[in-house]
Amino acid sequence: MSGSADPARTTGAGPAARTGAPGPGGGTGTPAATPAPDTARSLAGKVAFVAGASRGIGAAIAVALAEQGATVAVAARSEHTGRVPGTIHEVAGRIETVGGHALPVHCDVTSEESVADAVTTAVAELGGIDVLVANAGVLWLGPVETTPLKRWQLCLDVNLTGVFLVTRAVIPHIRARGGGSLVAVTTTGVGMTDRGSNAYWVSKAAVERLYLGLATDLRPDNIAVNCLSPSRVVLTEGWQAAGGREIPPEMVEPPETMGAAAALLAAQDGTGTTGTIQRSESLLIAP
């Protein structure tokens, strides 16, 4: 699965171009400074499973976690180059080229069997899992009235059920390590009720409710559970291939900002930051 939006599953070109609709994850707020976090090698010795890591936000997060010392399972459906650039092998290669450690793992988050196989492979090859970043997603921003049922269902299958499946699969492994971190990538669109409703925002809202509740459930296991979204629009390969409208430069956030923010949350456990909905730039400039 691609990060945040996968037009190989759904293009959504018309709805994605709606005026005022934020792209993958982000809103349309004032730009903020994003200094590098003080997390040098904070994830050394940890294993991270990043779902939806073949491109875009997911790829940036996978690279950022590796830069902080984590061994990364780069998980997604994209094993071969298709209409949209990016594969799990390319991302794993980028990590290995700069001295990091990565394992490309095929994972279709809509398939319970595929998720189970991917997690089993990662644990067998890498020795366990300490961190999950659930990023796989598809984009559809069309009005509810004109949304085909198959597009609505696809958003729920990938963006919500997919997060449920990968989260459920990794929890026992993170618990076995004595704690760790779960991070779900969501969107500021969840709170933009004044801009209407669409399948993408609804599915991400459900993910936030899922993770906020899980934070309570998993605190005794020393597992941090948080949501993270871009503060502004991230122009991923998926967003561009889906025909997303032109975005003013001041409203654009580089995917690396999400990578840095995800690294901060990945370093948490149940004794630190948990049960929160974070915005990338705000998190990075927090004291």
Side-chain angles (χ1 to χ4, degrees), residues 227-282:
C227 295
L228 175 66
S229 75
S231 297
R232 295 180 282 158
V233 178
V234 179
L235 300 182
T236 64
E237 297 90 340
W239 164 255
Q240 295 175 32
R245 67 185 179 89
E246 185 175 350
I247 304 295
E250 66 273 11
M251 292 167 56
V252 174
E253 174 182 324
E256 290 77 15
T257 302
M258 280 291 287
L264 284 176
L265 292 179
Q268 303 300 312
D269 60 24
T271 66
T273 300
T274 188
T276 68
I277 300 171
Q278 300 283 348
R279 306 302 180 219
S280 56
E281 293 178 336
S282 298

Side-chain angles (χ1 to χ4, degrees), residues 15-23 26-29 141 187-189 192 194-196 198 201 233 239 245-248 251:
R18 291 174 61 213
T19 300
T28 57
L141 299 175
T187 173
T188 56
M192 295 180 182
D194 60 328
R195 301 191 185 184
N198 58 65
W201 293 348
V233 178
W239 164 255
R245 67 185 179 89
E246 185 175 350
I247 304 295
M251 292 167 56

Side-chain angles (χ1 to χ4, degrees), residues 159-160 163-164 167 182 184-187 190-191 200-218 225-228 274-279:
N159 301 349
L160 175 57
V163 172
F164 158 73
T167 301
L182 304 174
V185 174
T186 60
T187 173
V190 168
Y200 182 67
W201 293 348
V202 169
S203 63
K204 293 293 189 175
V207 170
E208 291 189 352
R209 176 58 182 87
L210 170 66
Y211 262 47
L212 289 176
L214 273 178
T216 300
D217 294 339
L218 298 178
V225 187
N226 294 286
C227 295
L228 175 66
T274 188
T276 68
I277 300 171
Q278 300 283 348
R279 306 302 180 219

Side-chain angles (χ1 to χ4, degrees), residues 6 56 91 123 154 274:
D6 185 0
V91 175
V123 171
L154 186 62
T274 188

